[in-house]
């Protein structure tokens, strides 16, 4: 953690008796994990298979850290403590190295929570309802509700009209939002674009909901011309919709106003639909983008969720989920054991996460986030332009910092830069910690590698179907 106490290996001798790294300690215990081997088909290994196949479960046990019992005299010699200190020191070094090559996932790694280290000695648990104090006194509800009030102001809903909580991740926010929709409309049908996060479809399976997948435009945005006939085909049942405020792969923003208009034109009154807005990454960025459509509870939406470990930047996964107070009563139940009310997905909840969110929101404020958003968008445009200049197909949605481009041929390169891939495309998510220097480093390496991947008759793939002809610079679309 940036700003935290640095882990240092102890001196070679402990109490003058034991040397560090002795016995069965493996000096190379912390290494970058190798790519799993590819299983060839019919004994023939094709280049495309070598660069695409993923074999699960092949590379973890070879590098896992075995737990061993302390020696009888360990309290005297301190061998075990010295061994573990060495392992942790190497692990920290590995984390620092891997952080240098982090581009494909939407995590802001630019944070410093050293001031909160003093609170790591406490088991802080926000079990139950954030607004009802339970018998368990070691909690952080006062921080949690402060964070929720901040987001309520951002999404324009009064304090006495909303309910929410700090989730363990963005997926939990989606699970909760869709669950509330299902409880409000038990016979409702869930509609979600094909490019929605996988957790949306997981929710449909978990809750045994009928789910209709809606086509998307080439940008990744929901295609309301396809949504319309699918709504009309089920006019007799309420509609529960997932609206993406930034899709996972392309960073596309569904037009909330057009979705609402489509519902109304199909005969769905406001009391016959529920909209959950999945704003995992961009839900916190969009309010600070000029001319961007607004996510607001002044519109007929039911819930909004964002991730806390993404744009905000937290050392552990977390998120924020807010819904209308009128809806939460259909989901909640009193629990005597807690002396509180249960309305969340999980039972025990991380009480440290609200502290990290509260700390950052106070330090940055609206102006600080606006500055970070402008930096990300500016650097994302820089990356897209440089890719095009290098003859590499790339796309950047207007409201996004997610740059989509052709999938690198070599999976070693993908692994090195921790790129997220889907089919023929990959993406870089430009976050506040991603500098121009880092992008240049990545680009120079990518261009150099491509010169060896594509020689002679081997050509880069055409990805016009994924990003549109205007963004594809393959041999057919130059």
């Amino acid at each position: 953690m940036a700003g935290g106490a640095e882990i240092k290996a102890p001196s070679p001798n402990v109490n003058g008796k034991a040397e560090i790294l002795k016995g069965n300690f493996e000096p190379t215990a912390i290494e970058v994990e190798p790519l799993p081997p590819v299983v060839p088909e019919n004994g023939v290994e094709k280049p495309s298979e070598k660069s695409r196949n993923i074999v699960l479960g092949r590379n973890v046990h070879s590098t896992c850290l075995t737990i061993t019992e302390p020696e009888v005299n360990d309290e005297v010699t301190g061998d075990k403590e010295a061994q573990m200190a060495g392992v942790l020191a190497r692990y920290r070094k590995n984390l620092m190295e891997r952080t240098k090559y982090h581009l494909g996932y939407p995590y802001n790694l630019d944070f410093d929570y050293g001031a909160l280290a003093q609170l790591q000695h406490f088991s802080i648990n926000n079990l139950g309802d954030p607004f009802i104090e339970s018998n368990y006194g070691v909690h952080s509800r006062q921080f949690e509700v402060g964070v929720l009030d901040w987001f309520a102001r951002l999404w324009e809903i009064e304090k006495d009209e909303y309910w929410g909580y700090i989730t363990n991740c963005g997926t939990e926010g989606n699970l909760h939002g869709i669950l509330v929709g299902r409880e409000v409309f038990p016979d409702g049908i869930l509609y979600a674009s094909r490019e929605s996060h996988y957790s949306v479809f997981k929710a449909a399976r978990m809750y045994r909901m009928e789910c209709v997948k809606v086509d998307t435009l080439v940008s990744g945005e929901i295609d309301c011309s396809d949504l319309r006939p699918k709504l009309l085909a089920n006019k007799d049942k309420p509609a529960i919709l997932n609206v993406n405020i930034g899709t996972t792969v392309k960073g596309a923003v569904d037009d909330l106003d057009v979705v609402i208009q489509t519902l109304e034109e199909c005969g769905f009154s406001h009391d016959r639909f529920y909209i959950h807005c999945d704003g995992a990454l961009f839900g916190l960025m969009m309010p600070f983008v000029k001319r961007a459509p607004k996510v607001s509870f002044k519109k007929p939406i039911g819930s909004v969720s964002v991730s806390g470990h993404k744009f905000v930047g937290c050392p552990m996964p977390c998120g924020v989920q807010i819904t209308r107070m009128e809806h939460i009563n259909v989901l909640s139940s009193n629990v005597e054991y807690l002396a509180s009310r249960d309305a969340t997905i999980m039972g025990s909840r991380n009480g440290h996460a609200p502290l990290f969110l509260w700390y950052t929101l106070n330090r940055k404020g609206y102006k600080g986030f606006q500055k970070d958003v402008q930096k990300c968008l500016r650097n994302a445009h820089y990356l897209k332009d440089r890719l095009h200049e290098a003859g590499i197909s790339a796309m950047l949605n207007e409201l996004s910092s997610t740059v989509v481009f052709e999938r690198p041929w070599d999976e070693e390169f993908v692994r090195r830069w921790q790129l997220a891939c889907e089919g023929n495309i990959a993406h870089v998510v430009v976050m506040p910690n991603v500098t121009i220097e880092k992008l240049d480093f990545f680009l120079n390496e990518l261009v150099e590698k491509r010169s060896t991947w594509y020689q002679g008759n081997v050509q880069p793939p055409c990805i016009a179907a994924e990003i549109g002809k205007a963004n594809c610079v393959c041999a057919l679309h130059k």
Side-chain angles (χ1 to χ4, degrees):
M1 180 190 308
E6 183 177 355
I7 300 174
K8 296 182 179 180
S11 58
N13 295 295
V14 179
N15 297 328
K17 297 181 180 180
E19 293 183 354
I20 190 172
L21 306 182
K22 67 178 295 185
N24 62 354
F25 177 64
E26 173 55 56
T28 61
I30 304 296
E31 290 184 344
V32 176
E33 300 166 359
L35 280 174
V38 176
V39 178
E41 183 178 347
N42 299 324
V44 179
E45 187 172 301
K46 299 178 183 178
S48 60
E49 290 175 341
K50 183 177 182 180
S51 62
R52 294 290 184 264
N53 283 13
I54 298 175
V55 182
L56 300 179
R58 294 292 187 90
N59 65 330
V60 177
H61 279 106
S62 61
T63 57
C64 75
L65 298 171
T66 304
I67 296 176
T68 59
E69 291 296 312
E71 297 292 336
V72 176
N73 64 341
D74 190 64
E75 290 186 5
V76 178
T77 64
D79 281 359
K80 192 72 172 183
E81 292 295 326
Q83 175 188 339
M84 291 190 295
V87 170
L88 293 175
R90 284 180 167 81
Y91 177 58
R92 181 176 184 273
K93 182 178 180 181
N94 175 253
L95 291 178
M96 294 173 65
E97 180 66 17
R98 297 308 289 137
T99 297
K100 294 178 185 177
Y101 300 93
H102 183 277
L103 283 179
Y105 294 87
Y107 305 138
N108 179 8
L109 306 181
D110 184 18
F111 55 77
D112 183 350
Y113 290 109
L116 301 183
Q118 59 185 315
L119 304 176
Q120 299 307 301
H121 300 285
F122 300 96
S123 178
I124 309 176
N125 190 332
N126 288 2
L127 45 80
D129 192 307
F131 300 91
I132 303 174
E133 186 169 353
S134 76
N135 290 338
Y136 185 76
V138 188
H139 62 79
S140 62
R141 282 180 176 80
Q142 62 272 53
F143 295 91
E144 182 172 20
V145 175
V147 170
L148 294 172
D149 282 348
W150 189 91
F151 279 94
R153 290 194 300 273
L154 186 70
W155 295 325
E156 300 182 317
I157 185 169
E158 297 299 322
K159 290 183 179 181
D160 60 350
E161 294 180 359
Y162 87 86
W163 184 92
Y165 73 105
I166 305 299
T167 63
N168 290 302
C169 60
T171 287
E172 186 180 349
N174 286 341
L175 292 178
H176 192 275
I178 294 171
L179 178 60
V180 174
R182 201 281 305 271
E183 293 298 291
V184 172
F185 297 119
D187 60 339
I189 296 176
L190 175 63
Y191 299 85
S193 83
R194 296 184 181 278
E195 299 200 28
S196 298
H197 191 260
Y198 65 85
S199 61
V200 174
F201 306 109
K202 177 193 290 187
R205 293 194 304 273
M206 290 175 65
Y207 306 146
R208 295 292 189 265
M209 298 174 68
E210 183 179 351
C211 181
V212 175
K213 292 186 178 181
V214 183
D215 291 339
T216 56
L217 306 174
V218 70
S219 65
E221 179 185 341
I222 191 170
D223 184 355
C224 285
S225 66
D226 185 55
L227 174 62
R228 184 184 304 274
K230 290 175 176 174
L231 287 171
L232 291 173
N234 299 285
K235 285 187 65 176
D236 59 324
K237 291 187 177 181
I240 302 168
L241 283 94
N242 178 77
V243 170
N244 296 303
I245 312 302
T247 57
T248 308
V249 176
K250 297 180 180 179
V253 176
D254 295 342
D255 194 321
L256 176 59
D257 294 330
V258 175
V259 169
I260 294 172
Q261 180 182 349
T262 302
L263 282 161
E264 294 171 342
E265 291 175 352
C266 290
F268 287 83
S269 56
H270 290 185
D271 61 351
R272 293 191 64 246
F273 68 78
Y274 180 98
I275 295 176
H276 170 67
C277 298
D278 175 12
L281 168 63
F282 207 62
L284 186 52
M285 297 177 67
M286 199 165 72
F288 306 105
V289 178
K290 293 180 180 178
R291 299 183 300 277
K294 180 177 288 189
V295 174
S296 168
F297 278 93
K298 291 182 178 180
K299 301 176 182 180
I301 63 175
S303 53
V304 185
S305 63
V306 297
S307 296
H309 57 291
K310 292 179 181 174
F311 194 74
V312 176
C314 276
M316 78 281 287
C318 59
V320 175
Q321 160 73 357
I322 284 183
T323 186
R324 297 181 186 273
M325 180 68 78
E326 64 191 78
H327 295 325
I328 202 61
N329 291 329
V330 302
L331 186 67
S332 62
S333 61
N334 294 329
V335 181
E336 182 180 3
Y337 170 78
L338 302 178
S340 183
R341 182 174 66 168
D342 175 44
T344 64
I345 295 289
M346 309 303 291
S348 292
R349 293 185 291 108
N350 187 340
H352 288 274
L355 298 169
F356 287 90
L357 293 174
W358 177 89
Y359 186 79
T360 294
L361 295 178
N362 270 291
R363 287 190 66 188
K364 288 192 173 183
Y366 290 111
K367 290 185 178 179
F369 282 112
Q370 184 178 41
K371 183 178 178 181
D372 282 348
V373 168
Q374 292 172 347
K375 173 187 175 183
C376 291
L377 296 180
R378 184 171 59 249
N379 289 354
H381 279 278
Y382 172 81
L383 173 59
K384 183 206 68 174
D385 292 342
R386 283 288 314 274
L387 286 167
H388 281 169
E389 291 170 5
I392 302 173
S393 301
M395 177 188 79
L396 174 62
N397 275 306
E398 180 183 6
L399 301 174
S400 178
S401 65
T402 300
V403 181
V404 183
F405 59 101
E406 68 181 46
R407 180 174 183 159
W409 184 85
D410 185 1
E411 290 299 311
E412 290 284 357
F413 181 86
V414 169
R415 182 69 167 266
R416 170 176 165 84
W417 284 98
Q418 301 164 65
L419 301 178
C421 302
E422 184 177 270
N424 290 322
I425 58 176
H427 73 203
V428 163
V429 185
V430 180
M431 299 300 285
N433 62 289
V434 177
T435 63
I436 293 293
E437 291 73 21
K438 187 170 186 175
L439 293 176
D440 282 339
F441 183 32
F442 166 75
L443 281 161
N444 293 337
E445 188 170 313
L446 177 60
V447 171
E448 181 183 353
K449 292 289 186 180
R450 285 180 89 251
S451 66
T452 63
W453 298 337
Y454 305 117
Q455 299 182 36
N457 296 326
V458 181
Q459 296 293 321
C462 173
I463 57 173
E466 289 88 351
I467 66 172
K469 294 180 181 179
N471 297 305
C472 184
V473 294
C474 72
L476 295 174
H477 298 107
K478 283 184 178 179

